[in-house]
Amino acid sequence: MLFSALVDADRLDTESHGTLSKTELRARHAAEPLEMTRLFERVQAEMDAKAALDASNPQSINALRRQMYASALSHSADEPGFFRLTMPTGGGKTLTSLAFALQHAHQHRLRRVIYAVPFTTIIDQTAKDFRRVLEQPGEFKVLEHHSNLEVKEKKVGEENQTTASDLATENWDAPVIVTTTVRLFQETLFGTRTSQLRRLHNMTGSVIVLDEVQSLPAHLLEPTLDALQFLVKYAQCSIVLCTATQPALNEELGFPALKNIRDLVPNAAFYFDELKRVSYEFRLDEATTWDDLAQELKAEPQVLCIVNTRQHAHYLYLKLGESVENFHLSTNMCPAHRKRELEVIRTRLKDGLPCRVISTQLIEAGIDVDFPRVYRALGPLEAIVQAAGRCNREGKLRNAAGKLIDGQVIVFLPEEHKLPKGDYEIRESLSRSILHTLKHVPEKLHAPDVFLPYFKDVYARVSKAPPVKINGQDGQPAELEFHTAHSRLHFQQVSAAFQMIEGDMMPVIIRGYEKEKVTALLTTIRDSPRKSERQDAWRALQQYTINIYAHQAKKLMTPQDGKPPFLTPVPELVERASRLQVDPPEICQWPETAVYDPKRGIVAEFKDDLFTSL
């Protein structure tokens, strides 16, 4: 922590002497004395506006949301430490957690709120929502810090423009930061590069909100919670663990860091029962074939089916058939493509038009869609409940007679039930066992305490921290327990062991989707002398990339059987790197000659196990 402060102070001092314009820009956007108070007032104004709107047509679900919001705020004066916010899906968790964090920061003179989400698929929407509520024209209050494409460029006599956001990205000096759990833990708390360390000291005096906390990798929970405990004990931080499926994280289950954790909504079970909007049906005794499932989906005018892998989504969509009424969503589609499809899906749902969607798990968290009927392939218990959050979300579903009814969630065992190995597979196995015990009482899945034995078993099986590889005293490879290696200051080796995502990823630019726009962005990156224009182009280009494992990319970039490589370097980036005399970024492109399907995204054109596993 001290080294972080020293590194940042050194960089800022150098900047003040060499680039006064940056120092002045930082000063213009420095936090005001009552920053947290003013930002909370804006959230409260948003909630008051919603309450006024609801008054003209009162909805019981909105009254319950306001009760949970008030309950959380009533704890804002509590002493800093660990807090737990358990709210049903659709209960308003995002704004409630933000409001608590800001008010708690005000009460205890804390400096900022750091809001961490597990999925890059939802961070854009979260940051957009926060800006809409917290920022006024010309203001910079919310830093969105994540990037699949971060390229350091050598300055060669070019303009050195920058923005308040660029500067805050360097050291997290902003009132509200929206980032990913990977960036928060793997790159900041356990990172070792000086560019990462600059952010660490500015985490002091923060309220750190961890959204969808059940998604934290179980095998890293012990070092993760130890790091959070350090921040609470020595860095004046408070931690808020948020989810609709709160994991059994408490002292009794072997997590001493969570001693005396406090619930912001103590009577959560009441709200889960009151906000029950779906009924469950379990089909687990025998597998459902893709053909039978497709026929059943065809009979539904509006339906969502979530499967566990991209291969399954691809295959089931083909069984469902090409139609303007049918949709496919997976990370085989670039973000811009997915976003456009979601806009069409939401419009069709709103207008009552036929809409059948086959999706991977990407739709389960933070994606606001509302279907009357949802199918979910057997998977982790928390994923099933998250899937149910896309069903009858507002509780407005009615039958032909106009009576309010529950949405339907069908959990089925698919044929070829292949799952991602490791943590996901273990969670599915435990989920299957619990669902069998609930076969005749599926309504019990609505109770939050059903997750206690489930998560207890998950952590008992996979919560051991990974060993840390070091060079022994004799120069030979050796291993230490994670905690021991950390306490002996093997920071680089500990950082290498703390991997939240297994395997390095490589971004692949999709030139076949909105080709002219992608080419224009790459041309800007290659030719523009203005740093701000290039940075804007990089950010926009993220919407036209997919990520694949580096080992997959390496094979696809290698000539096979006399054929040229399938993936190739990006010419514009290679040309720019050559001009600057630096190595080109590790980014490749999907060939324009290859299929990029308007519904399915990247599509295999040849037989190759590696390729089709994408």
Side-chain angles (χ1 to χ4, degrees):
M1 189 69 75
L2 291 174
F3 183 59
S4 168
L6 177 63
V7 169
D8 193 35
D10 179 62
R11 298 288 176 85
L12 292 175
D13 187 57
T14 302
E15 177 183 284
S16 67
H17 285 81
T19 318
L20 187 59
S21 60
K22 288 187 177 182
T23 302
E24 293 172 345
L25 183 58
R26 290 185 193 274
R28 285 201 301 274
H29 291 278
E32 301 173 15
L34 298 176
E35 189 79 82
M36 296 293 101
T37 305
R38 290 173 179 170
L39 294 182
F40 168 73
E41 289 171 351
R42 293 177 183 179
V43 177
Q44 186 60 52
E46 172 78 4
M47 297 301 294
D48 291 343
K50 288 185 175 183
L53 186 64
D54 185 56
S56 60
N57 183 25
Q59 302 291 323
S60 59
I61 188 173
N62 292 327
L64 294 168
R65 287 168 175 160
R66 290 193 293 272
Q67 289 175 22
M68 289 184 282
Y69 176 85
S71 175
L73 286 187
S74 71
H75 292 278
S76 61
D78 292 0
E79 284 300 307
F82 282 95
F83 297 91
R84 183 165 44 208
L85 178 59
T86 307
M87 292 175 64
T89 302
K93 170 168 56 69
T94 302
L95 277 186
T96 296
S97 59
L98 176 63
F100 167 81
L102 292 169
Q103 182 72 331
H104 184 68
H106 161 68
Q107 294 279 0
H108 297 282
R109 297 185 178 181
L110 303 179
R111 311 190 282 169
R112 60 179 48 87
V113 172
I114 301 174
Y115 202 98
V117 300
F119 313 114
T120 57
T121 52
I122 62 175
I123 192 171
D124 293 335
Q125 186 60 49
T126 302
K128 182 179 178 182
D129 291 342
F130 283 6
R131 288 194 192 98
R132 179 182 60 80
V133 175
L134 299 178
E135 291 184 349
Q136 295 180 357
E139 289 186 337
F140 168 65
K141 303 297 181 185
V142 179
L143 170 66
E144 178 185 351
H145 191 198
H146 79 104
S147 178
N148 294 326
L149 301 176
E150 284 197 326
V151 180
K152 302 299 181 184
E153 293 188 341
K154 182 178 179 182
K155 298 184 182 73
V156 183
E158 297 180 289
E159 293 182 54
N160 191 31
Q161 303 91 359
T162 194
T163 64
S165 177
D166 295 331
L167 296 176
T169 296
E170 295 175 355
N171 64 355
W172 277 8
D173 190 5
V176 177
I177 296 157
V178 183
T179 190
T180 61
T181 49
V182 170
R183 178 136 286 172
L184 175 67
F185 292 106
Q186 183 172 311
E187 299 181 13
T188 302
L189 282 169
F190 287 94
T192 56
R193 300 201 307 269
T194 53
S195 60
Q196 298 169 334
L197 285 171
R198 286 190 68 183
R199 304 191 290 262
L200 181 59
H201 77 102
N202 271 332
M203 291 182 66
T204 61
S206 298
V207 183
I208 301 171
V209 181
L210 301 179
D211 195 18
E212 307 296 350
V213 70
Q214 78 283 349
S215 299
L216 289 173
H219 70 289
L220 294 175
L221 269 178
E222 184 179 337
T224 297
L225 293 173
D226 284 346
L228 294 174
Q229 184 182 38
F230 170 86
L231 293 175
V232 169
K233 190 173 182 179
Y234 298 107
Q236 290 184 291
C237 289
S238 279
I239 314 297
V240 184
L241 309 180
C242 295
T243 185
T245 54
Q246 194 66 254
L249 294 176
N250 54 49
E251 184 183 18
E252 291 75 17
L253 292 178
F255 301 111
L258 296 179
K259 183 179 181 179
N260 299 323
I261 188 170
R262 288 151 289 174
D263 286 299
L264 297 179
V265 181
N267 53 340
F270 166 78
Y271 293 103
F272 275 82
D273 186 60
E274 288 294 307
L275 288 174
K276 186 180 84 71
R277 305 181 299 276
V278 304
S279 296
Y280 288 98
E281 176 186 344
F282 304 144
R283 301 180 186 175
L284 306 177
D285 292 335
E286 59 182 43
T288 301
T289 68
W290 297 124
D291 286 330
D292 288 346
L293 181 59
Q295 290 302 314
E296 192 168 340
L297 296 175
K298 288 178 183 178
E300 299 292 337
Q302 293 188 340
V303 64
L304 168 65
C305 181
I306 303 173
V307 292
N308 290 308
T309 71
R310 288 176 288 185
Q311 286 174 285
H312 287 172
H314 177 99
Y315 190 70
L316 182 56
Y317 176 79
L318 291 180
K319 290 285 186 182
L320 191 62
E322 295 277 355
S323 168
V324 295
E325 301 174 353
N326 300 337
F327 298 85
H328 163 276
L329 294 172
S330 82
T331 51
N332 277 353
M333 305 158 66
C334 64
H337 189 181
R338 296 199 304 266
K339 189 178 295 185
R340 180 168 293 180
E341 291 294 276
L342 276 167
E343 289 174 357
V344 177
I345 288 167
R346 290 188 178 107
T347 299
R348 295 186 71 88
L349 290 173
K350 182 180 178 181
D351 294 344
L353 298 173
C355 182
R356 306 174 194 90
V357 179
I358 310 299
S359 178
T360 58
Q361 307 98 295
L362 67 83
I363 203 170
E364 288 176 344
I367 305 297
D368 187 7
V369 290
D370 194 348
F371 287 84
R373 194 172 181 88
V374 171
Y375 289 72
R376 200 348 172 146
L378 179 62
L381 197 62
E382 66 272 27
I384 292 169
V385 174
Q386 289 285 358
R390 311 312 119 194
C391 183
N392 195 22
R393 190 173 178 85
E394 294 296 322
K396 297 179 180 179
L397 187 63
R398 297 178 183 272
N399 60 16
K403 181 181 178 182
L404 288 172
I405 58 173
D406 284 347
Q408 297 297 309
V409 178
I410 295 93
V411 182
F412 65 97
L413 178 65
E415 64 173 306
E416 300 178 15
H417 190 43
K418 297 178 182 179
L419 295 166
K421 297 294 182 183
D423 183 82
Y424 195 93
E425 190 174 38
I426 290 171
R427 292 179 187 234
E428 183 277 338
S429 174
L430 295 171
S431 173
R432 185 187 304 214
S433 176
I434 287 178
L435 293 181
H436 273 297
T437 66
L438 300 179
K439 183 176 181 180
H440 300 295
V441 282
E443 65 276 6
K444 287 192 174 182
L445 193 54
H446 294 285
D449 59 4
V450 76
F451 291 94
L452 294 176
Y454 167 75
F455 279 113
K456 183 177 180 180
D457 285 345
V458 169
Y459 300 148
R461 294 197 191 189
V462 295
S463 63
K464 185 175 177 59
V468 177
K469 297 178 181 179
I470 65 167
N471 288 324
Q473 293 181 349
D474 58 358
Q476 297 299 312
E479 287 187 351
L480 291 176
E481 289 186 351
F482 193 98
H483 179 74
T484 301
H486 204 206
S487 65
R488 294 182 183 177
L489 310 185
H490 293 289
F491 293 137
Q492 285 191 324
Q493 293 84 351
V494 166
S495 179
F498 192 95
Q499 296 296 310
M500 300 186 78
I501 299 176
E502 295 183 8
D504 294 332
M505 306 297 287
M506 178 178 285
V508 178
I509 294 174
I510 306 299
R511 302 196 74 134
Y513 186 77
E514 297 189 347
K515 178 181 175 180
E516 291 183 0
K517 186 170 185 178
V518 174
T519 299
L521 292 171
L522 287 167
T523 301
T524 298
I525 292 168
R526 182 190 64 192
D527 297 338
S528 176
R530 297 183 62 84
K531 182 180 178 182
S532 58
E533 288 182 356
R534 297 196 308 274
Q535 288 178 327
D536 288 344
W538 275 117
R539 293 189 186 99
L541 194 60
Q542 288 182 109
Q543 295 297 310
Y544 301 93
T545 66
I546 61 170
N547 286 312
I548 66 175
Y549 284 108
H551 73 273
Q552 293 175 321
K554 184 177 180 180
K555 183 172 180 180
L556 292 172
M557 294 175 75
T558 303
Q560 301 286 334
D561 301 324
K563 297 179 181 179
F566 185 79
L567 297 180
T568 57
V570 184
E572 292 89 343
L573 303 184
V574 172
E575 185 178 338
R576 177 169 177 78
S578 176
R579 188 171 71 242
L580 298 180
Q581 297 180 341
V582 297
D583 292 331
E586 293 187 356
I587 301 170
C588 52
Q589 65 180 8
W590 193 258
E592 294 181 53
T593 56
V595 173
Y596 185 82
D597 190 84
K599 284 286 192 177
R600 293 170 288 153
I602 60 174
V603 174
E605 296 180 83
F606 51 86
K607 296 289 185 180
D608 186 297
D609 290 340
L610 179 71
F611 185 91
T612 55
S613 72
L614 299 178

